[in-house]
Amino acid sequence: MNPSIKNPIKLTIDDQEIVVEKGTLVIEAAKQVGIQIPHFCYHPKLKPDANCRMCLVQIEKMPKLQTSCSTQVAEGMVVKINNPIVKEAQFGVMQFILANHPLDCPICDQGGECHLQDLAHVYSPPMSEFEEVKRIFIKQYFSPVIEKEMNRCIQCMRCVRYCDEVMDVRALGGIGRGDMTEISVFPAKTLDCEFCGGCVQICPVGAFVNRLPLYEFRPWQLHKTDTICNYCGDGCLITLETRDQKVVKVSSKVGVGRNEGDLCTKGFFGYEFVNHPDRLKKPLVKKKGVLTEVIWDEALETVAEELTRIKAEYGPNAIGGLITARCTNEELYLFQKFMRLAIGTNNIDSSVRYGHIHAAQAMKRVLGTNRWTCSYEDIVQADAILLIGADITEANPVVGLKVKEAVRHRGAKLITIEPYQRNVAPISNIVNIATHPLQLAAGTEWWAVTGMIKALIEEHLVDEAVKTGHAAYLSQLTQAAGKISWNQIKDTTGLSADSFKAAAKTLAQATRGIILFGSGVTRGTKGLETVANLLDLAILTGKINREGCGVAPLTEENNEQGAVEMGAVPGWLPGLREATSSEARSQVGAVWREELPQEAGATFLEMIERARRGEIKALYLIGENPIGTLPASMKVREALENLELLICQDLFLTQTGEIASVVLPAASYAEKEGTFTNHEGRVQQVRQAFGPIDGSRPDGEIVTDLARLIGYPLEYDSPKAVFQEIQRLIPGYHVTALTAERRQAVAAALNRYLDQDFSKDLSQRYALTTPAANGNPYTLILGPMLFHSGKLSLKSEGLLKLAQEGRLQINKEDAERLGLKDGDPARIASDQGRAEVKVKINSKLPAGLVFFPEHFNQPSIKDLIPVSVDPENRVPSYRTASVTVERI
Ligand code: SF4
Ligand code: SF4
Ligand code: SF4
Ligand code: FES
């Protein structure tokens, strides 16, 4: 017997004896003995609905046939499936369904992978007994990306149930009666939802299909490649379905991958950037001020010659590199090795500098690791979850589903510390399901964390182990929190002492408690301090290193975790070794068989400053577009124009690429092999669906070719060979689970922190600063958006159909007061400038808060926001501004 079965139930299915767990459905037990019971409405992700009757079986001692999808096994049960009575019933159900079905298989995109088509081959009699006139539903426009063909619907309600039970969106419902029941949207006429594609994937027939490749393919023409999504840090397993060198669609497999088959809109509809006609296909070199197409050899030789000249003339530290955390681990590793050895500088940075570095830094200091101390499974099984500055459905939708599952299906308590309010809009808002929705003033997360800590101490909720074992730490923290009054916290956050006390009690009393935080914390002002103080909160509540507990930073880009671990930052070599430590350098040097540069490297903003001062002469950018990303007040363009050499390696020509000396066309993730590490710490395989599109090349290959031309060969046969070297430097890099050994290491680091290291900076971290005055009537907040993630999503037709442009989102009452309706133009102004923009009503926003999605460059709303730069990590923060809004 399977030892994992806790409550065994023995039954017989078609003469085969089987022991399964109590509560198993008969349809699932049958599967375990290799019998597939035909079904339509059953789905392993959904609660039983038993509406289609296709899964009927005979159970001894029961008078009628039973639906196996809703009947649980019982001790001694005898189930008959392969018998004439059952067969007759199944044939009958199938006849009913087919009587109404249009049988337009030749023009249905589902043809070839349709559940009805497959079952009809086995369960239909040669002639139907019915002579019914087919139903005809009036064709309606449904949505820009999902096509609805109700004549094909078999009314299994899987789409409606998925949208409710898994997504918590409830956008769909059945209208009408009997066989004229139609799946439709409430209350709007066209679909307004999260566009996760789940209803398309779960529909067993072609009633819901993806409009983007409509009529373009037959399923058997497509080649399928399992790989990892390259949008956010959730690390979803996706299947790229391709023909020639084109991604035709994306799908996923039920129960597989960290996403268990669920996807978000970017994963499902955001693939078209790979096929975009604007993809760079020829290298460009600036000649007489004009970017001119050249062959690869010329472009690479130009770069190699210039880098060699600049290095010889000004030294290696006159060169810097910046790489996107969307690259694979192997590419990130190669690039930092190229900068450190072929060039000889630690001036190497990556997009983690936009915020995630704070999380990595603080966690390394306190826990000795940048890794999560919990898993997705722990989120689902938690009793209490604290979400702070995460805006999880917009930024990390699939981890958002895990939170929803914990709350809606397992009764977890949810504390949200976000600037959003509850609402009734169809797009789900995680705040709606929170037991403690702490709606704070935008940009005041640091004060809210202090409030939680103060509440814990005052309410005597501090974990016993901390009280008894770390008195000095607790006393200093008590003093620090005591210096900040409840009035100061309330005036800043807008939240009362009572709300903090209630939330703190819920978190402290949970046996399995998880703290999740995102860019609202890491990209906000005082980001480093806020993360470090959140770790104090986790320690005080005993949630840091216990079974089922943990602190988990969420990342916006797919491989930020990998970028840090590969050493694509100036301060750390691979494996988070300090670049300034001679011991660390010799460990890495032993594998590289080279001396590593000793001088501390510059962060990305420091490189820009040095370029402005003429100290840095060359910058090599991979997948980064700082002119488009950073606010105009930082004058990045002027600094980059000062360079003697600017190399932009990218899929598209960006604003930064336009002023580059050389532009190198890179391949997309669909054209590469390698690995990504998601924010949870899982190292996952990236597989090539097809070779690089004409004229482009994988980033790693370009870097190794340049290294050879510079006279410093980085020779590897394949990305696998690079990964083997990574494993030599980071032993066990493939081990993804949270092992006992890792927990021990965390415990040791934590003790060091609690015994002495805390005192190094604790009083500074809790020193009260006054937040910037809000002189204007509105607070503008810049943040993530579900339908976009920047450069790649803005080249994806499907996502552009869902959100074509950035709109200033505003609460309904504020809009009415200003005389604004959806789509009206408005003028927004701060002391940094003004911009004109269309507005969108969003009922999740409270009065006085306006939101703009950070991924849209035009109009330049981010230019209205003042930038503050963190003194330690040099992270630029530009999230909130005080603004006026008026109707034009
Ligand atoms: S695409 Fe929209 S309607 Fe369909 S399941 Fe997802 S959220 Fe629901
Ligand atoms: S649209 Fe598809 S999933 Fe929804 S009820 Fe109809 S057949 Fe079932
Ligand atoms: S964007 Fe994130 S949540 Fe969406 S499919 Fe990709 S990895 Fe998953
Ligand atoms: S699958 Fe059991 S009733 Fe539909």
Side-chain angles (χ1 to χ4, degrees), residues 483-755:
K483 284 187 188 153
I484 303 165
S485 74
W486 281 118
N487 279 343
Q488 284 166 320
I489 292 173
K490 177 148 198 257
D491 288 348
T492 315
T493 61
L495 290 162
S496 67
D498 286 348
S499 56
F500 283 113
K501 286 176 183 171
K505 191 170 175 192
T506 295
L507 187 65
Q509 289 179 344
T511 314
R512 300 175 70 93
I514 304 276
I515 298 176
L516 288 160
F517 63 97
S519 62
V521 169
T522 54
R523 294 191 176 186
T525 45
K526 292 167 86 81
L528 181 60
E529 291 94 328
T530 312
V531 180
N533 299 357
L534 257 179
L535 293 169
D536 285 333
L537 175 65
I539 293 168
L540 293 183
T541 50
K543 301 294 178 285
I544 211 119
N545 200 24
R546 288 194 185 142
E547 197 62 39
C549 299
V551 182
L554 300 162
T555 62
E556 198 199 315
E557 292 186 356
N558 55 311
N559 202 20
E560 297 196 49
Q561 196 81 6
V564 167
E565 292 170 355
M566 293 304 108
V569 285
W572 289 332
L573 302 171
L576 270 67
R577 294 176 173 90
E578 300 290 337
T580 47
S581 145
S582 57
E583 191 191 336
R585 282 199 306 273
S586 54
Q587 280 170 4
V588 177
V591 173
W592 289 357
R593 299 202 189 140
E594 276 290 341
E595 291 257 315
L596 272 67
Q598 295 186 16
E599 206 171 312
T603 62
F604 174 52
L605 285 194
E606 287 164 341
M607 289 187 232
I608 290 185
E609 283 317 307
R610 289 185 195 180
R612 196 187 313 284
R613 295 198 298 268
E615 293 160 17
I616 281 204
K617 304 287 184 187
L619 269 184
Y620 185 177
L621 308 180
I622 300 185
E624 280 298 309
N625 172 25
I627 294 179
T629 307
L630 290 164
S633 62
M634 299 193 78
K635 300 198 176 357
V636 178
R637 179 182 290 273
E638 291 81 338
L640 299 187
E641 279 172 347
N642 226 8
L643 293 166
E644 292 182 18
L645 176 69
L646 175 62
I647 309 151
C648 281
Q649 188 167 306
D650 217 309
L651 270 68
F652 299 100
L653 188 62
T654 61
Q655 291 113 306
T656 312
E658 281 164 10
I659 66 156
S661 334
V662 181
V663 177
L664 303 172
S668 77
Y669 79 117
E671 298 144 55
K672 289 177 184 175
E673 290 283 333
T675 53
F676 291 151
T677 308
N678 77 348
H679 47 203
E680 189 200 12
R682 303 280 172 149
V683 182
Q684 306 191 93
Q685 194 72 43
V686 177
R687 296 183 185 87
Q688 187 184 55
F690 43 77
I693 63 152
D694 253 3
S696 74
R697 303 182 61 188
D699 291 296
E701 221 175 277
I702 304 172
V703 170
T704 46
D705 272 1
L706 279 174
R708 185 175 41 79
L709 289 172
I710 283 176
Y712 193 92
L714 295 172
E715 302 286 3
Y716 299 90
D717 293 345
S718 62
K720 268 203 185 100
V722 181
F723 191 73
Q724 278 162 6
E725 186 173 304
I726 294 169
Q727 283 179 308
R728 286 179 64 201
L729 280 168
I730 315 175
Y733 197 64
H734 61 287
V735 178
T736 51
L738 198 59
T739 56
E741 201 184 344
R742 278 193 188 159
R743 280 205 186 277
Q744 269 170 15
V746 169
L750 191 54
N751 278 333
R752 267 197 309 278
Y753 170 75
L754 291 171
D755 289 344

Side-chain angles (χ1 to χ4, degrees), residues 428-499:
S428 72
N429 172 9
I430 206 103
V431 173
N432 289 350
I433 56 168
T435 31
H436 302 271
L438 270 56
Q439 185 194 325
L440 86 173
T444 62
E445 286 80 3
W446 180 90
W447 284 266
V449 174
T450 309
M452 288 290 283
I453 289 175
K454 196 173 163 65
L456 278 170
I457 296 171
E458 287 184 9
E459 296 299 292
H460 309 290
L461 294 164
V462 173
D463 184 52
E464 276 307 310
V466 178
K467 273 201 249 172
T468 50
H470 306 284
Y473 164 75
L474 183 57
S475 139
Q476 201 170 332
L477 204 49
T478 307
Q479 257 184 28
K483 284 187 188 153
I484 303 165
S485 74
W486 281 118
N487 279 343
Q488 284 166 320
I489 292 173
K490 177 148 198 257
D491 288 348
T492 315
T493 61
L495 290 162
S496 67
D498 286 348
S499 56

Side-chain angles (χ1 to χ4, degrees), residues 290-308:
V290 179
L291 281 172
T292 311
E293 286 186 359
V294 295
I295 58 168
W296 267 101
D297 284 353
E298 183 180 340
L300 291 176
E301 275 159 22
T302 307
V303 172
E305 275 166 23
E306 278 296 278
L307 285 175
T308 310

